[in-house]
Amino acid sequence: GENVEQHPSTLSVQEGDSAVIKCTYSDSASNYFPWYKQELGKGPQLIIDIRSNVGEKKDQRIAVTLNKTAKHFSLHITETQPEDSAVYFCAASNGENYGQNFVFGPGTRLSVLP
Amino acid sequence: ETGVTQTPRHLVMGMTNKKSLKCEQHLGHNAMYWYKQSAKKPLELMFVYSLEERVENNSVPSRFSPECPNSSHLFLHLHTLQPEDSALYLCASSQDQGGYEQYFGPGTRLTVT
């Protein structure tokens, strides 16, 4: 089955700097790669996702890049703000089995220091 | 607000109790999911319902029993739980039956004493 690794496990950046979180996956059949943000006391919030037919997607200060050959994808946050502090999860799925193949990474705790 | 609500938000129960968690989605989605989130572990998918039909997940102990009476509501019935079942239980829904674009509720923090 699919295995998703995520690095780093913790990340501290100064406000205004960029943050990059990287995930690798094992199943070459995976075709959907979302990123979730989870703040304290809340459920994970879908912030951006990418399908396997594109290499990059941007939404304001957030971007995701995908390298299918190397089986890795990354979340890029530019001009970080204190409200970006949260735990970020990546995931990978091949869309089969009614979502049972949806596998999450272990998470990255991002701290944005003012 | 994601359009997925969960009640209660916090629950403390003894090992011999029976309780139920409730999830409701207001997004018109066709699939609903239960996840378990434990400290220092990735989110674990427990159950999937697609068009109100349950997709089996054999790795979940029988002390957890899901129910999906319609496409908007999902329950997780709990009985004779163990302390290691203490965790955050998250409900999610998606329009796509392949699990794409899942939207999560805020979760129920469960403590088993």
Side-chain angles (χ1 to χ4, degrees), chain A residues 25-83:
Chain A
Y25 62 99
S26 60
D27 186 356
S28 57
S30 288
N31 55 25
Y32 176 66
F33 308 92
W35 284 91
Y36 285 84
K37 174 184 180 183
Q38 187 173 24
E39 297 174 280
L40 198 61
K42 297 185 178 181
Q45 174 194 359
L46 179 63
I47 56 173
I48 196 167
D49 56 14
I50 193 168
R51 308 266 175 148
S52 58
N53 57 346
V54 298
E56 183 176 4
K57 184 176 178 180
K58 285 184 180 180
D59 183 3
Q60 300 182 351
R61 297 186 298 108
I62 293 174
V64 56
T65 58
L66 171 66
N67 183 327
K68 285 216 74 179
T69 303
K71 294 185 192 167
H72 67 71
F73 57 108
S74 299
L75 177 70
H76 304 255
I77 306 174
T78 58
E79 300 173 19
T80 54
Q81 301 166 5
E83 51 265 38

Side-chain angles (χ1 to χ4, degrees), chain A residues 38-44 109, chain B residues 6-13 19-22 34-40 78 81 84-91 105-112:
Chain A
Q38 187 173 24
E39 297 174 280
L40 198 61
K42 297 185 178 181
R109 183 173 299 279
Chain B
Q6 290 186 243
T7 54
R9 294 294 310 276
H10 300 272
L11 178 62
V12 179
M13 60 185 289
K19 295 286 184 184
S20 296
L21 310 185
K22 179 183 176 182
W34 278 117
Y35 284 88
K36 177 183 179 182
Q37 186 174 37
S38 307
K40 299 184 180 179
L78 315 171
L81 294 191
E84 59 265 29
D85 296 322
S86 298
L88 181 68
Y89 288 84
L90 292 158
C91 171
T108 295
R109 173 67 63 185
L110 173 67
T111 303
V112 181

